[in-house]
Amino acid sequence: MISFLDLKAINQQYREELIEACTKVIDSGWYIQGQECSLFEKEFSLYCGTEYTVGVANGLDALTLIIRAYKEMGIFNNGDEIIVPANTYIASILAISENGLIPVLVEPDINTYLLDEKRIEESLTMKTKAILVVHLYGQTCNMGAFNKLGKKYNLKIIEDSAQSHGASFDDRKAGNLGDASGFSFYPGKNLGALGDGGAVTSNDKTLIDTIRILGNYGSSKKYENHYKGVNSRLDEIQASMLRVKLRYLDDEIKHRRKIAEYYCLHIKNEHVVLPIIKDKSRHVWHLFVVSVKNRKEFQDYLLKHGIQTLIHYPIPPHKQNAYKDFNNLKFPITEKIHNEIISLPISGIMDFNDVKHIVKIVNDFN
Ligand SMILES: *Cc1c(COP(=O)(O)O)cnc(C)c1O
């Protein structure tokens, strides 16, 4: 069986270094808000090209805290609207509604699965304060267009970079393509911790300082509280794991790109629509998503031949129980995407014999 993602094998590559890093934290006696987190923040800023990084507990918190901080800074208010792609992972949308703002869902481009810049202007109202661009599957959005819209209409451009560590647009990395960016280090992401983790990157010092305070009960000085904050911090053990794995991220991305290139060149089946890569974007292939009309048949067929696949995602956010108010909205492109997409195995460690086997089996599907 070729598994969708072999997390154990991925982390085994760095076993010795991970144990050493973990041991160092255990022996230091310091487990929260110490050296490892602040070193990781510096190293991740260098990697992304931003001035600042603040570690938080997970990716959802990263996005939620960006919006919360803009509220505390007087830039967003309850009831304001944020534009977000209708086909994103639900966390992007939860971060908006959790803050008492309104997610305005917009259809993606059918070919790239990314937020469609041509549909933004028709969705703007007097209450629109931001666009939450999601670099879905590892490909950056058309940031030239989004930053232009941001300037023209005075909107904050917030990136959801949870699937796109190391991806770039026009030689700038995800995390440094808008006003602020949220990252997830969930174990299955391209840069994954051995537990939960997240970060916000930005060049805005006020925003970063506000997030740091909000994530620490609203306090910058012990027992003095500026805000009704939350507890959302990146702990020392996870930061130390991430420092090890960050050193190998570019090698893993290189391997993912080789696999994706092989899939794109060699998968030849009229039923299988391959992903489209945009000009200025350098994809990091968190997921290799193809589109197949007879998806159920295709998935069963692959499984019968020992190939595990997943669907990202089977139910669009506006059809979820959690968003009952949205259940009657119509997003035909999003719904078509959710009915037809399927993710083939890809990772920073996958064996090329497996890749070749998958291509052969996919090509034989009819
Ligand atoms: C994983 C993910 C998140 C949430 O990250 P967590 O660390 O799991 O909270 C947010 N947005 C997208 C697009 C994701 O893929």
Side-chain angles (χ1 to χ4, degrees), residues 8-176:
K8 182 172 161 179
I10 288 169
N11 288 319
Q12 284 289 325
Q13 301 176 92
Y14 318 121
R15 191 171 184 278
E16 299 310 317
E17 281 178 86
L18 292 171
I19 289 173
E20 194 183 319
C22 188
T23 306
K24 208 171 114 194
V25 175
I26 293 169
D27 292 347
S28 75
W30 195 284
Y31 308 115
I32 300 271
Q33 290 188 308
Q35 276 269 323
E36 292 296 321
C37 182
S38 76
L39 286 170
F40 173 71
E41 288 172 348
K42 287 201 180 80
E43 289 158 4
F44 198 61
S45 293
L46 268 177
Y47 184 81
C48 295
T50 53
E51 280 184 61
Y52 311 104
T53 298
V54 53
V56 298
N58 55 64
L60 173 58
D61 279 7
L63 296 168
T64 307
L65 284 166
I66 292 170
I67 298 168
R68 174 78 194 274
Y70 280 133
K71 283 179 78 181
E72 298 296 349
M73 290 160 70
I75 294 169
F76 297 171
N77 288 294
N78 285 340
D80 283 344
E81 297 173 359
I82 297 185
I83 287 175
V84 62
N87 64 320
T88 186
Y89 180 56
I90 199 158
S92 326
I93 298 170
L94 292 172
I96 300 169
S97 43
E98 170 65 21
N99 275 294
L101 277 78
I102 313 221
V104 175
L105 307 185
V106 171
E107 291 265 54
D109 179 317
I110 185 86
N111 295 309
T112 61
Y113 312 118
L114 298 174
L115 188 57
D116 187 349
E117 60 271 15
K118 294 187 293 300
R119 292 173 185 271
I120 302 298
E121 280 180 313
E122 66 194 34
S123 310
L124 295 175
T125 74
M126 298 297 289
K127 294 200 157 211
T128 315
K129 288 292 169 66
I131 306 173
L132 178 44
V133 298
V134 182
H135 307 311
L136 199 66
Y137 305 148
Q139 179 164 220
T140 50
C141 296
N142 184 359
M143 295 310 291
F146 287 110
N147 282 320
K148 226 179 253 164
L149 285 164
K151 272 219 180 75
K152 183 166 174 195
Y153 296 103
N154 193 26
L155 308 171
K156 291 291 179 196
I157 304 297
I158 303 170
E159 300 170 76
D160 181 339
S161 304
Q163 301 189 358
S164 55
H165 322 71
S168 59
F169 182 86
D170 237 357
D171 291 332
R172 277 173 84 112
K173 286 232 175 83
N176 191 27

Side-chain angles (χ1 to χ4, degrees), residues 16 40 43 52 232 292 310 320 357:
E16 299 310 317
F40 173 71
E43 289 158 4
Y52 311 104
S232 185
V292 183
L310 291 177
Q320 299 282 357
H357 179 67

Side-chain angles (χ1 to χ4, degrees), residues 226-329:
H226 302 282
Y227 309 113
K228 299 182 190 96
V230 296
N231 177 354
S232 185
R233 302 176 297 218
L234 181 64
D235 68 67
E236 289 291 284
I237 287 193
Q238 294 311 332
S240 76
M241 302 291 100
L242 288 166
R243 289 187 66 210
V244 171
K245 292 187 71 182
L246 180 58
R247 297 202 278 273
Y248 299 101
L249 178 58
D250 283 342
D251 292 340
E252 290 206 14
I253 291 172
K254 221 178 269 168
H255 193 72
R256 284 175 184 272
R257 283 180 175 148
K258 263 196 221 147
I259 295 170
E261 189 180 18
Y262 192 89
Y263 278 153
C264 286
L265 279 173
H266 297 280
I267 292 180
K268 289 194 171 78
N269 185 321
E270 55 173 343
H271 303 291
V272 180
V273 180
L274 291 167
I276 305 275
I277 308 142
K278 296 216 294 212
D279 292 350
K280 296 182 178 174
S281 182
R282 288 218 72 204
H283 207 312
V284 290
W285 302 104
H286 172 57
L287 297 168
F288 191 92
V289 176
V290 297
S291 162
V292 183
K293 286 229 159 59
N294 286 334
R295 178 176 66 189
K296 174 84 177 68
E297 251 181 275
F298 183 63
Q299 187 168 37
D300 291 348
Y301 162 86
L302 291 180
L303 193 62
K304 205 178 74 198
H305 287 86
I307 299 162
Q308 189 191 21
T309 55
L310 291 177
I311 293 164
H312 299 90
Y313 300 89
I315 306 170
H318 72 281
K319 292 292 181 194
Q320 299 282 357
N321 246 325
Y323 286 102
K324 279 208 186 67
D325 293 357
F326 293 169
N327 285 179
N328 290 324
L329 298 178

